[in-house]
Each structure stands twice: as C-alpha cells, then as structure tokens.
Amino acid sequence: MVPKSRIDEILEGYDIEDLTIATLCSHSSLQIFHGARKMGFKTLGLTISHSTKYYDAFPLAKPDEIIKYQDFDDMEARVGELLDRNTILIPHGSFVEYMGARRFSDYPVPSYGNRAVLKWESDRDKQRQWITSAGVPMPKLITDAREIEEPVMVKYHGAKGGSGYFIARDYMDFKMAVDQTLPYTIQEYCLGTRYYMHFFYDPLKTDGYLCEQGGSLELLSIDRRDESNIDEMYKLGSIEESRRHGLYPSFVVTGNTPVVIRESLLPKAFDMAEKVVNKSYELFGGMWGPFCLETVVNDKLQFKVFEISTRIVAGSNPFISGSPYADLIYPGLSTGGRIALELKNALKDDTFKELMT
Ligand code: AMP
C-alpha cells in the first residue's frame, strides 16, 4: 500500500482549488461523475477497453475528459498525467476488481477512503473474521463437504458477480457440480429476502446517528440485485428437473431494483453497520465513505450478512436523484453526490487529507 506520508506529500503539491475527480469508466461512474459535477469538481474518466460512447447519451454525467489506456501497466506508467491534473481517485467495485486490489493499493494517486480495508475485504477469511468479531451474524461455514446436510452455497474465490456459484443439497450434489481445480468456500444457504444496504460513514460529521469513535452513520439507499438466471429459474419448475435438461442456476448480476425494508428492521440494520464500522477502526484504522452490507432476512426477521463491499456499489445506481432514505438527509442526493459533498466539506474544513490514502 502506498504509505500515507507519500499521499500527503502528493496532496501538498496539489492545487486544491482545481481538483479532478476520476474513476474507471464502468460500474457506477455515471453517478460518480454526475455527483462530482453537481458539487463543482472537474471530472475525468479512465478507460482500458470499455466503450465510452454511451456517455454521449447522458450529458449531465459525461466526464469532462477521458484518458484511454492500453492496459493497467500503461495506467501505471502514465501516473504523472493524473498527478498533473490534481486527481483524486474514487474506487468502485469494477475499478478494484479489474485492476486488482493489490495493484490499486499500490497506485500512487490519492484515493478517497482507506485502502487498508482492501486487504480485509478481498480475503474471505479476513472478511469473516472482521464481521463476526464485530458481533454481526454471517452464514455458517461448512468446512467438510461430506457434512452437507442442508442446502449450501458454494462460492469460488474471487468469482466475479456470483458467476459459477452453485447450490448443493448434499455431498452427491456438491461432487457433481464442484470444480476441484478452483479454491472455494461452502456456506449455509440463507433462505429469505435479500437486501443490499448502502451506508455512508462520515468520520467528521458530529450530528445524526453517531458511532463509538465519533462520526456519523447514514443509510442512503437499499437495492436488490437482479441475478441471472436464479431469479427466473422457478418458472421452469424444480432445480433438479432443470438440471436434467442441462440448465444450472447462476447468480450473475445483471441489474438492480430499488427497495425499502420495513421500518422495524432499521434499528437492527444500523446496529450491524455501526458494529462493522467500529470494528474497522480497531482492526485497520477505519472504513469511511460508502459501504454496503449484503444481507438476507429470514421469516423470523433475523439478518445474516453474506458479504460486505467497502466502497460505492452499483446497487446505488437507481438512486441518482435521491432515495426514500437519502431524501430524509440530503434531498435528491445520490451516493456519488454524497462522496463529492464529503470532499467539498472537507476542503472547506481543512480536513481533506484525513480522508485520503
Ligand atoms: P456474493 O458474491 O457473496 O455477493 O454472492 C452473490 C449472490 O449469491 C448474492 O447476491 C446472493 O443472491 C447469493 N448468495 C450469496 N451468499 C448466499 C448465502 N449464504 N445464502 C443465499 N444466497 C447467497
């Protein structure tokens, strides 16, 4: 990871009146650019092979400038172009996934948020240690496939967007479907309704829902992912029957729908998010900015968190002009807008450096 002292040095050399907000052209970039423009920042899109013509269709979210790279080596070699533009990077899921968590951590351009979180998020064991030690329930882990007695979810490590995941009901099921050449994790299949809750932790805010180490926790929106083809599989009858025809369930994310949770679940939701934030300060110096708890709620109204995303998630895209929750804090503001607002406020209060790593 780039030493914090190096990032501070770079920021010393920046003209902070003339910052540029940059991110990789994909995922939630429309929202990030739209929010940054709203707060008066210059915007810069970074792209490798992704087509950027679609930005022409959305003039209010089109970045002021786009830099095209051959690959991430090229992006590394041309780091000076970003520093010359006083660039602040906004990480999102695809940026970190495509570049690689390690490489992103080492990229010497100031980035919003704590890059130390990447080590804890990208390693499934460490992620589990963080969340469970915070006192937040996760799906039970099954260490020996021969002990599968209830439906389980088999997840390949580093699988993108749930691709290749499968459900097994017993050991036979597991043996028939597993690819033993890939590392995997087996966990309890949590039956219930899925809620992907988009929180924002502001370490510098002194009002609102306050956390242990000060700072304020906000819930900006909630989505549910559309996943192909599991969401529509039921139309074909039983999964066993479909398998006989060579059709296997998959969990590839294709889109997102906005949802709200019943109000009586909000205290539990905030309690889990607060615990995870508090623990992050104990373990690795904190997690600030946007993050998402990916949860299942069962019919006893109990939550389980099956994953955490420690940055803006694409599930916040339905809320470019606000959400039922954001509207009660910042009417009409998206998560992208909230990030830009945070940067703007921090510049005013001279706390900007504290938010960058
Ligand atoms: P993940 O890569 O962990 O975000 O999982 C991808 C998708 O698989 C989720 O969006 C859920 O639909 C589903 N999923 C993951 N873990 C579980 C679980 N333990 N029980 C039920 N569904 C799960």
Side-chain angles (χ1 to χ4, degrees), residues 153 155 165 187-188 190 194 196 225 227 294 307:
M153 187 79 176
K155 301 181 174 189
Y165 286 13
Q187 53 178 240
E188 158 198 12
C190 300
R194 292 169 296 125
Y196 301 72
R225 290 183 189 160
E227 294 175 329
E294 305 181 10
E307 180 104 45

Side-chain angles (χ1 to χ4, degrees), residues 140-154 168-175 184 186-189:
K140 203 169 68 199
L141 208 60
I142 288 99
T143 47
D144 184 346
R146 279 164 300 205
E147 285 168 12
I148 299 174
E149 281 166 359
E150 306 282 330
V152 295
M153 187 79 176
V154 183
R169 281 166 180 69
D170 50 33
Y171 183 52
M172 273 298 282
D173 241 15
F174 168 83
K175 259 182 63 173
Y184 57 81
I186 310 173
Q187 53 178 240
E188 158 198 12
Y189 184 86

Side-chain angles (χ1 to χ4, degrees), residues 82-207:
L82 298 187
L83 301 181
D84 290 346
R85 288 170 174 79
N86 306 307
T87 299
I88 302 297
L89 299 177
I90 308 296
H92 57 58
S94 300
F95 198 165
V96 173
E97 178 79 40
Y98 300 157
M99 187 167 187
R102 184 77 181 271
R103 213 168 185 183
F104 185 86
S105 290
D106 292 343
Y107 196 51
V109 177
S111 164
Y112 170 58
N114 185 3
R115 291 193 235 202
V117 76
L118 291 172
K119 221 170 84 188
W120 286 80
E121 183 201 29
S122 57
D123 177 325
R124 279 199 194 277
D125 295 334
K126 283 185 101 66
Q127 189 180 122
R128 178 169 283 271
Q129 186 192 332
W130 168 18
I131 296 172
T132 53
S133 69
V136 172
M138 289 191 79
K140 203 169 68 199
L141 208 60
I142 288 99
T143 47
D144 184 346
R146 279 164 300 205
E147 285 168 12
I148 299 174
E149 281 166 359
E150 306 282 330
V152 295
M153 187 79 176
V154 183
K155 301 181 174 189
Y156 293 108
H157 292 191
K160 291 178 184 63
S163 96
Y165 286 13
F166 66 92
I167 299 168
R169 281 166 180 69
D170 50 33
Y171 183 52
M172 273 298 282
D173 241 15
F174 168 83
K175 259 182 63 173
M176 268 164 55
V178 73
D179 178 349
Q180 292 282 10
T181 65
L182 300 172
Y184 57 81
T185 308
I186 310 173
Q187 53 178 240
E188 158 198 12
Y189 184 86
C190 300
L191 186 62
T193 34
R194 292 169 296 125
Y195 296 103
Y196 301 72
M197 300 187 286
H198 318 144
F199 288 96
F200 190 100
Y201 176 64
D202 180 343
L204 307 170
K205 190 172 154 185
T206 51
D207 56 10

Side-chain angles (χ1 to χ4, degrees), residues 6-22:
R6 175 75 193 113
I7 295 296
D8 286 348
E9 217 173 76
I10 295 171
L11 288 170
E12 289 291 328
Y14 271 12
D15 175 359
I16 56 162
E17 302 290 316
D18 190 33
L19 291 178
T20 300
I21 302 297

Side-chain angles (χ1 to χ4, degrees), residues 92-335:
H92 57 58
S94 300
F95 198 165
V96 173
E97 178 79 40
Y98 300 157
M99 187 167 187
R102 184 77 181 271
R103 213 168 185 183
F104 185 86
S105 290
D106 292 343
Y107 196 51
V109 177
S111 164
Y112 170 58
N114 185 3
R115 291 193 235 202
V117 76
L118 291 172
K119 221 170 84 188
W120 286 80
E121 183 201 29
S122 57
D123 177 325
R124 279 199 194 277
D125 295 334
K126 283 185 101 66
Q127 189 180 122
R128 178 169 283 271
Q129 186 192 332
W130 168 18
I131 296 172
T132 53
S133 69
V136 172
M138 289 191 79
K140 203 169 68 199
L141 208 60
I142 288 99
T143 47
D144 184 346
R146 279 164 300 205
E147 285 168 12
I148 299 174
E149 281 166 359
E150 306 282 330
V152 295
M153 187 79 176
V154 183
K155 301 181 174 189
Y156 293 108
H157 292 191
K160 291 178 184 63
S163 96
Y165 286 13
F166 66 92
I167 299 168
R169 281 166 180 69
D170 50 33
Y171 183 52
M172 273 298 282
D173 241 15
F174 168 83
K175 259 182 63 173
M176 268 164 55
V178 73
D179 178 349
Q180 292 282 10
T181 65
L182 300 172
Y184 57 81
T185 308
I186 310 173
Q187 53 178 240
E188 158 198 12
Y189 184 86
C190 300
L191 186 62
T193 34
R194 292 169 296 125
Y195 296 103
Y196 301 72
M197 300 187 286
H198 318 144
F199 288 96
F200 190 100
Y201 176 64
D202 180 343
L204 307 170
K205 190 172 154 185
T206 51
D207 56 10
Y209 187 105
L210 296 178
C211 291
E212 200 174 84
Q213 67 289 322
S216 185
L217 186 63
E218 300 165 353
L219 175 65
L220 294 182
S221 47
I222 308 178
D223 81 295
R224 176 167 307 137
R225 290 183 189 160
D226 284 335
E227 294 175 329
S228 182
N229 55 24
I230 184 74
D231 291 346
E232 299 294 319
M233 201 91 193
Y234 71 96
K235 290 180 182 164
L236 295 177
S238 75
I239 289 184
E240 283 75 20
E241 183 61 30
S242 302
R243 275 189 182 150
R244 275 200 285 278
H245 294 92
L247 299 167
Y248 295 90
S250 58
F251 296 79
V252 178
V253 183
T254 55
N256 306 85
T257 27
V259 287
V260 290
I261 51 173
R262 55 190 281 181
E263 195 166 314
S264 58
L265 285 173
L266 285 174
K268 282 186 192 169
F270 270 92
D271 182 58
M272 292 190 304
E274 182 183 352
K275 284 176 169 158
V276 167
V277 169
N278 290 342
K279 200 68 186 182
S280 75
Y281 278 83
E282 220 179 288
L283 293 175
F284 53 83
M287 168 183 62
W288 56 89
F291 68 97
C292 173
L293 294 185
E294 305 181 10
T295 69
V296 174
V297 183
N298 68 13
D299 54 0
K300 296 187 181 62
L301 300 177
Q302 293 157 333
F303 275 103
K304 284 209 174 149
V305 172
F306 55 83
E307 180 104 45
I308 182 169
S309 292
T310 60
R311 64 196 67 76
I312 184 170
V313 286
S316 60
N317 287 337
F319 309 103
I320 279 198
S321 48
S323 87
Y325 299 111
D327 286 357
L328 307 178
I329 326 170
Y330 313 100
L333 205 64
S334 67
T335 297

